[in-house]
Amino acid sequence: MTESYTLTVNEVAYSIVADAQRSLLSVIRGEVGLTGTKEGCDDSECGACMVLVDGRPVNSCSYLAVQAQGRAITTIEGLASGDALHVLQRNMLEEGGVQCGFCTPGMIMSAHALLDQNPDATEEDIRLGLAGNLCRCTGYAGIMKAVVRTAREGLSTDS
Amino acid sequence: MLSVDISKFLRADGPDKVTGSGRYSADISLTGMAHAKFLYAGVASARITTLDTAAAKAIPGVFAVLTQADVPDIRFGSVADRYLFAKDVVRFEGEVVAAVAAVDADTAQRAVDAIVFEYDALPVVNDIEAALEPDAPLVHEDWESYSARRIVMDRNIASQTILTLGDADAALADADLVIEGRYIADASHAAPIEPRGVVAQWEGDKVTIWTSSQVPFQARDGVCETLELPTNRVRIIVPHLGGGFGGKCGFHYEAHIAALARAARRPVRLVFSRREEFLAPDRRREGMIVELTTGLRSDGTIAARKARILLDYGAYSSDATFFPHMAAMHALGPYKIDNVYAESSAVYTNRQPSGSVRAPTAPQACWALETHTDELAAAVGMDPVAFRRLNGVDTGASGVSGQVFDAIGLQECITLATEDVGYGDVLPGDEAIGVAIGWWPSFPGASGAYVKLDSDGKGVIVTGAQECGTGAVMTLPYLVANELGMQPEDFELVYQDTSAAPYDVGATGSQTLLNNGIATIEASYQIASRLREIAASMLEAEADDIVLENGHAHVDGSPDTAIPIARLARRANHTGMLIGKGARIAPPDPKTSISAIGDQGVSSFAGPQFSCHAVRVKLDRDTGVARVLAVSAAHDSGTIVNPIGAAGQVEGGVLMGIGQALTERTEYDDKGRQVNPALLDYKLQTFADAPPISVQFVEVFTPDMGPHGAKAIAEAPNVATAAAISNALGKLVGLPMRELPMTSERVWRAIQAVGS
Ligand code: FES
Ligand code: FES
C-alpha cells in the first residue's frame, strides 16, 4: 500500500510517496536521491547501510522508511559541514582506513554513534562497537587507528 | 626513494569515498532506465524441455525478455564451453537462463516468475573424485569439440598439468624417511562488500556500460566477442569499485545487460543481491584435495616430493585453466628440492565455476603443504622453523622448478616474523604459535598510460589501470610528481574508461602498480625531457643540466634562478605540447628446468614474492573455538613504494586468511546447490575477530620488475595465514589439521579423536 509522508534527512524535509513496505535504505537511495548509504546485503549483516535515526545507529535496510517519520535522519552526506571534512572522515583518510570505500559510509556512521555515546572508547570498545560493520579490504587496522585518533581528538574537533 | 613524501599517502579518491559523494555502479541512474532481473537455473544439472517467455513479455511494463535464442550463437570462455544464456542444458544452479528488463524491479521479478521453464533433471556431478570414475556422468558431453589449445582435457578433467623435475620415484626410494598426507579444502568466496551492478546505455550503434569490473578491457572483449561488436563501439566505464578480490575479474553480465538495453530501447540497470553475488558469478575459490608424499634425508633435507592435486573447477571455464599448474607450484612450495613430480587436475562439476580469487589456489595449497611441512619437521625431530630455514629457498638457490633465484628475502622474512611474534616464548597451555612460509609471483605484462601537462602547469594522468581499492592507481600521481619535481595534487586521474585510455590487464594478478607504474613513469620522462628543453632554452643551458624541483626548473647548482613549471607549460603550447605516453613491455620470464605437460606458463615466478606469517592462537578445548591473538607478517615484495598502501594490503590479506582458516566455507547439498549463500551463514571476520597484525617488509631491490625496484604485493599476503593457523592448531590439538576451514566443529572432533 502506498503512503505519503515526510522524511527529514540531513535537516532537509522530503515529501515521500512510496509503498509502506519500503525500507529506509531504499527510500534514501531512491526517492531522496542520496546514494552515499550503501547496500551490501539487505539483511542486517554488513552495516554498509548504517544511518543515524535521532542519533542512534540503525541498519537502514531493515528499518521501514515510514517508521522514520518525525525523526532526524543523518546519512554520510550530512556529516561534513561545507567543504571541510568531518574529523572522522579526515582521520579515516589519513590513517589508511579507506580502500574500496564501500563499507566506509556505514563504518563512519557507526563510529560516529559509538564515539558520541562513549567519547573515551577504548580499542576493545571500538572492536565490539563496530562488529556489525563488515570491511573486506582493510583488516580493520587502519579503521582502528582512525577511530582511536578521533576519540583522542574529540568528535567535534574541526578537521 | 621518492622525492615526494608518500609517507602520508592521501588517496585522491578518498574525499569522494568518505563523504558519500562517490558513485559506485549501483548508484548510477539514467533517465528512462529499466531494471533487470535474471531467471537462474536453480538446479545444478538438467536438460531444458520448455522455455516460454510469452506470458512474461505480456506483462505491462516489461520491455524485453531475452534467452540464448535472442543473442548470437557464440560459445565463449577459455575453452569455449559456455554461452551467455543456458542453451539446451543447465550445468549449475546460478546459470542465467533468461533476462528481463522492466519498468521497475518488482515488475521485472514478476516477469521472471512468469517465464515457463521446465526441465528434466540430469545426474549431478558433485564430487571431484567420483567425477573421475570411468562411468561418471560427463558435465560436458561435447568436451572433445572444445577449443582447448595448450590445455589438456579429458572427459571431466577440464585442465591438467603434470610437472617433472629430476626423478622423484628414485629419490623417494632412496630417502631415509617418507611422509604422506592428504588434505582437503572447501570452496570459499571473494565476498567483496559491494554486490555488483551493471548499467548499459545505447546511443546509436555504440554502447556505454558502467560496471563493477576489476578488468574493464577484458569485460569489453567479452561483450565484443559474444555480441559480435568491434571494440570501438563498446565503452566500459568502471565507477568506484567496491572491492573485488578476484570476484569481479573476468567478463560478467555486461553483455547480458547491453543486449537487454538494445532490446528494451532504453538504459537498463542490473544490481545484484547478496544472494546472487554468492551464487551466480563464475568466481569462487575452488575446493581442493592435495595429496603429498615427501622423502627426507636423515639430515633433515628434502630429497623428493610428489603431489597429486584435484581442484573443483565447477561447470564452466572462466580463467581457471591455469589453476592446476599454479596449485602444483604451491603444493611443491618455496623449497630447495631437486626431484619433484606433480599431477594436478581441475575437474568439471555441476557447481558454480571457479575463478581467480586473490592468489588463486595458493592459500589452500600452501595450507596443505605447510601443514605437511610441520609433520616433516616432527618426523626428523627438528623445530619447524629451523626445518624451513634449512630447506627454504634463498638468494642463489634453485627452487622446485629449477628456477635460480636472484636476491630474495625469504630467510629474513622467517627471522623477522618469528622474532616479532615471540616464537619460543613460554605460552599458556591453551596457546601456541604456528609458522608458515609462502610465495607468489609478480605478473609483468602489458599496460599503458598517457600523461599531459596543460598550460597552467596542472597535469592529467590517463591510465588504463583499474583501482579496486588497493590504492595502486592512487599511487600513480606520486610517481609522476616524483619525476617532474611537482606535487601529487598537481595531477588529476582519468581512469577506468576503455575509450579514454590505453590497454591494461586490469586489477588482477596484483599487477597494477607493477606495470602501470612503469608505463606512467615512462610517460612522465617524455614530459620531463620536454620541460628540460624549454627551460634550457630560456636559461641558456644544456637540457641535461636542468633540474626539476619544487614545481620549478633550474640549472643544476643555480637554484636561485628558477622558472615555474607553469610558465614552461604555457610556453610549451606554442612549441609542441607536453604529452607523454608509456607502455610496459614485459621482460622475459626467468629460466626453469622443469618439464610440464599442460604447461600454463607458471613454472617460472617472475619477481617472486616471499612471506612468512607467524600467528599466536588460543584454543578453547571444550568447544574447539580458536581465536587468533596476534599475527606477524613479514613480506619480501621488493622495494615498498607506498608504505600505507602496502601495509593495508597485508592487513586485509591476513584477515581474509584468518576467515579462510576458521570460518569461510561454501557448503553444498547433495544436489550441488549452495547451502549458505548469505553473510549470516557464510561468516566473514568482523572487527571483533580481528587481531593486531604486525607488518614488516624485507625490501629487496628487484631490477626490471616494478617501479623503483618493487615487486607486486596485493595477493601475497593472502597465502600463508591459514597455514600458520593450521600449524598452531596442530600443536594445540596434537594432530595435524586435515580439513580447511578448521571450523570449531572440526577442531573439536580432532580433539576428541586425540582424547580417545
Ligand atoms: S545492507 Fe543493511 S546491513 Fe547490509
Ligand atoms: S574499504 Fe573496502 S570494504 Fe572496507
Side-chain angles (χ1 to χ4, degrees):
Chain A
M1 217 189 43
T2 305
E3 294 245 3
S4 304
Y5 53 96
T6 302
L7 278 190
T8 307
V9 183
N10 305 330
E11 299 178 350
V12 176
Y14 296 84
S15 302
I16 308 293
V17 180
D19 189 284
Q21 295 305 312
R22 293 269 303 280
S23 70
L24 181 56
L25 174 63
S26 88
V27 172
I28 289 173
R29 289 179 53 82
E31 280 77 355
V32 174
L34 294 174
T35 58
T37 307
K38 301 302 183 202
E39 179 177 321
C41 69
D42 203 24
D43 200 18
S44 286
E45 283 294 325
C46 75
C49 63
M50 198 71 73
V51 301
L52 305 182
V53 176
D54 285 343
R56 267 187 45 237
V58 303
N59 281 323
S60 61
C61 68
S62 305
Y63 192 99
L64 290 179
V66 286
Q67 285 183 325
Q69 290 178 74
R71 300 173 192 272
I73 302 161
T74 312
T75 70
I76 186 70
E77 290 92 343
L79 223 51
S81 55
D83 284 344
L85 295 182
H86 185 274
V87 58
L88 203 41
Q89 294 172 321
R90 184 205 61 191
N91 289 346
M92 282 286 277
L93 211 49
E94 291 188 356
E95 299 296 338
V98 180
Q99 286 188 29
C100 82
F102 201 78
C103 72
T104 306
M107 192 70 78
I108 289 177
M109 298 318 282
S110 287
H112 191 284
L114 175 76
L115 295 180
D116 202 29
Q117 282 257 305
N118 179 4
D120 304 317
T122 61
E123 290 203 8
E124 194 56 20
D125 295 335
I126 295 167
R127 289 174 38 168
L128 297 177
L130 299 182
N133 289 82
L134 293 177
C135 175
R136 190 60 153 167
C137 297
T138 64
Y140 306 100
I143 301 172
M144 176 63 91
K145 282 188 212 153
V147 181
V148 166
R149 178 172 156 195
T150 309
R152 196 174 59 235
E153 294 173 353
L155 200 52
S156 48
T157 358
D158 288 338
S159 64
Chain B
M1 261 317 307
L2 304 191
S3 61
V4 292
D5 182 10
I6 196 169
S7 71
K8 297 203 174 50
F9 171 60
L10 281 182
R11 43 188 314 148
D13 62 4
D16 214 21
K17 288 178 170 176
V18 297
T19 58
S21 64
R23 299 279 193 217
Y24 295 71
S25 296
D27 302 336
I28 287 173
S29 189
L30 301 172
T31 305
M33 185 177 80
H35 298 260
K37 291 278 181 196
F38 290 157
L39 170 67
Y40 296 102
V43 56
S45 180
R47 181 167 306 281
I48 300 172
T49 53
T50 314
L51 184 57
D52 183 349
T53 59
K57 283 178 176 152
I59 293 175
V62 172
F63 300 120
V65 183
L66 300 182
T67 67
Q68 184 60 32
D70 303 299
V71 294
D73 189 40
I74 286 174
R75 251 181 15 203
F76 72 98
S78 49
V79 297
D81 61 359
R82 58 192 304 199
Y83 297 89
L84 278 184
F85 296 90
K87 185 177 174 186
D88 304 330
V89 292
V90 296
R91 295 189 176 88
F92 79 107
E93 60 173 326
E95 186 158 355
V96 179
V97 175
V100 172
V103 66
D104 55 39
D106 286 347
T107 308
Q109 187 57 52
R110 274 194 290 124
V112 164
D113 297 341
I115 296 170
V116 182
F117 169 48
E118 292 168 341
Y119 51 80
D120 290 336
L122 293 173
V124 178
V125 178
N126 199 21
D127 178 300
I128 47 180
E129 289 184 300
L132 299 180
E133 298 294 330
D135 56 350
L138 294 177
V139 176
H140 291 264
E141 293 279 350
D142 294 340
W143 66 273
E144 276 175 292
S145 72
Y146 293 167
S147 57
R149 285 187 304 274
R150 288 187 26 228
I151 296 165
V152 175
M153 295 184 83
D154 183 20
R155 294 171 58 81
N156 280 333
I157 293 179
S159 174
Q160 185 180 60
T161 299
I162 295 171
L163 300 177
T164 312
L165 179 76
D167 186 341
D169 283 323
L172 281 175
D174 285 351
D176 296 314
L177 208 55
V178 175
I179 307 291
E180 297 182 12
R182 175 180 158 99
Y183 310 85
I184 301 173
D186 290 331
S188 60
H189 281 279
I193 304 299
E194 177 202 32
R196 74 200 59 214
V198 182
V199 182
Q201 169 168 262
W202 287 85
E203 292 157 292
D205 62 358
K206 178 181 169 207
V207 64
T208 304
I209 304 170
W210 293 262
T211 177
S212 319
S213 177
Q214 291 175 245
V215 287
F217 286 91
Q218 205 177 316
R220 182 190 67 175
D221 293 349
V223 174
C224 294
E225 180 185 1
T226 55
L227 299 184
E228 299 185 302
L229 295 166
T231 54
N232 62 3
R233 295 235 303 274
V234 178
R235 178 181 190 183
I236 304 272
I237 298 174
V238 183
H240 288 311
L241 182 65
F245 315 104
K248 293 169 185 162
C249 284
F251 153 58
H252 292 115
Y253 313 116
E254 288 87 3
H256 300 81
I257 303 306
L260 267 183
R262 186 158 58 181
R265 302 189 168 280
R266 50 177 63 218
V268 173
R269 182 173 78 192
L270 170 81
V271 179
F272 260 14
S273 67
R274 175 56 56 186
R275 184 182 160 80
E276 287 174 294
E277 193 61 43
F278 270 112
L279 292 174
D282 62 8
R283 295 287 134 158
R284 133 192 105 131
R285 194 184 281 291
E286 59 297 333
M288 202 183 282
I289 298 173
V290 181
E291 292 172 351
L292 296 169
T293 305
T294 302
L296 296 165
R297 302 183 190 95
S298 54
D299 63 359
T301 56
I302 302 173
R305 172 165 296 148
K306 289 179 79 167
R308 177 172 181 264
I309 305 161
L310 298 179
L311 303 98
D312 179 354
Y313 192 73
Y316 293 107
S317 62
S318 59
D319 66 348
T321 46
F322 75 99
F323 284 18
H325 196 165
M326 187 60 104
M329 292 299 291
H330 287 277
L332 298 171
Y335 290 100
K336 295 176 286 196
I337 315 176
D338 295 331
N339 301 288
V340 305
Y341 175 84
E343 186 182 309
S344 184
S345 310
V347 182
Y348 275 132
T349 58
N350 289 115
R351 291 176 171 182
Q352 179 179 31
S354 294
S356 288
V357 173
R358 198 174 195 173
T361 74
Q364 310 98 300
C366 174
W367 162 80
L369 171 64
E370 289 295 282
T371 304
H372 181 69
T373 301
D374 266 29
E375 295 171 58
L376 302 178
V380 287
M382 275 180 81
D383 170 80
V385 171
F387 183 86
R388 286 177 174 82
R389 283 193 182 293
L390 174 67
N391 287 293
V393 293
D394 199 356
T395 303
S398 170
V400 287
S401 65
Q403 177 178 348
V404 177
F405 297 102
D406 297 333
I408 57 170
L410 174 61
Q411 297 289 338
E412 290 84 342
C413 287
I414 297 175
T415 303
L416 283 182
T418 52
E419 279 179 1
D420 186 68
V421 83
Y423 188 77
D425 291 356
V426 179
L427 297 173
D430 58 352
E431 291 182 22
I433 288 170
V435 176
I437 60 175
W439 64 338
W440 186 254
S442 303
F443 293 99
S447 181
Y450 314 125
V451 177
K452 63 168 183 156
L453 274 194
D454 283 320
S455 55
D456 63 350
K458 297 295 179 193
V460 179
I461 301 165
V462 183
T463 169
Q466 165 69 38
E467 174 65 60
C468 65
T470 62
V473 173
M474 299 302 129
T475 305
L476 298 173
Y478 287 83
L479 298 183
V480 175
N482 184 62
E483 298 303 326
L484 299 181
M486 296 171 67
Q487 290 303 311
E489 309 80 74
D490 292 328
F491 296 90
E492 194 51 52
L493 282 159
V494 173
Y495 59 118
Q496 302 175 182
D497 182 340
T498 57
S499 289
Y503 176 82
D504 180 89
V505 183
T508 175
S510 316
Q511 68 86 35
T512 300
L513 193 57
L514 187 89
N515 293 314
N516 204 252
I518 296 282
T520 310
I521 289 174
E522 187 183 306
S524 20
Y525 284 157
Q526 296 166 14
I527 294 188
S529 76
R530 284 284 298 125
L531 287 174
R532 288 199 182 94
E533 283 166 21
I534 301 167
S537 72
M538 291 169 76
L539 293 167
E540 294 175 4
E542 293 295 322
D544 284 351
D545 295 333
I546 300 291
V547 177
L548 301 173
E549 203 172 59
N550 299 325
H552 288 73
H554 64 79
V555 179
D556 197 11
S558 323
D560 294 344
T561 323
I563 308 174
I565 285 176
R567 232 179 103 199
L568 301 178
R570 239 184 346 265
R571 216 165 233 258
N573 263 358
H574 308 289
T575 58
M577 296 189 187
L578 294 170
I579 306 169
K581 66 171 167 53
R584 170 63 189 255
I585 298 162
D589 283 339
K591 288 199 176 41
T592 65
S593 50
I594 199 163
S595 90
I597 298 171
D599 190 346
Q600 296 297 310
V602 292
S603 292
S604 169
F605 277 21
Q609 305 168 73
F610 297 91
S611 64
C612 177
H613 289 191
V615 299
R616 192 152 62 86
V617 175
K618 182 183 171 98
L619 176 65
D620 180 340
R621 290 196 170 85
D622 293 333
T623 61
V625 172
R627 186 170 173 83
V628 179
L629 301 177
V631 180
S632 294
H635 281 259
D636 164 15
S637 273
T639 306
I640 297 302
V641 174
N642 177 345
I644 290 184
Q649 288 314 295
V650 179
E651 290 155 352
V654 164
L655 196 67
M656 199 177 255
I658 295 176
Q660 282 156 16
L662 300 178
T663 59
E664 291 189 39
R665 174 191 186 201
T666 293
E667 296 175 66
Y668 291 89
D669 67 13
D670 59 0
K671 302 202 163 50
R673 293 176 306 204
Q674 290 185 37
V675 172
N676 57 337
L679 291 173
L680 181 63
D681 307 309
Y682 182 97
K683 278 288 181 204
L684 305 183
Q685 296 293 292
T686 71
F687 218 130
D689 302 316
I693 298 163
S694 157
V695 180
Q696 309 194 59
F697 292 112
V698 176
E699 296 197 49
V700 181
F701 182 93
T702 308
D704 303 324
M705 201 43 52
H708 301 281
K711 297 189 259 198
I713 177 75
E715 289 165 293
N718 199 207
V719 176
T721 310
I725 294 170
S726 175
N727 288 338
L729 285 171
K731 285 183 189 170
L732 288 163
V733 171
L735 258 190
M737 298 290 109
R738 301 290 189 167
E739 287 173 294
L740 187 72
M742 300 163 285
T743 60
S744 50
E745 191 190 326
R746 286 171 170 171
V747 173
W748 185 84
R749 272 196 268 113
I751 294 168
Q752 304 311 307
V754 176
S756 60

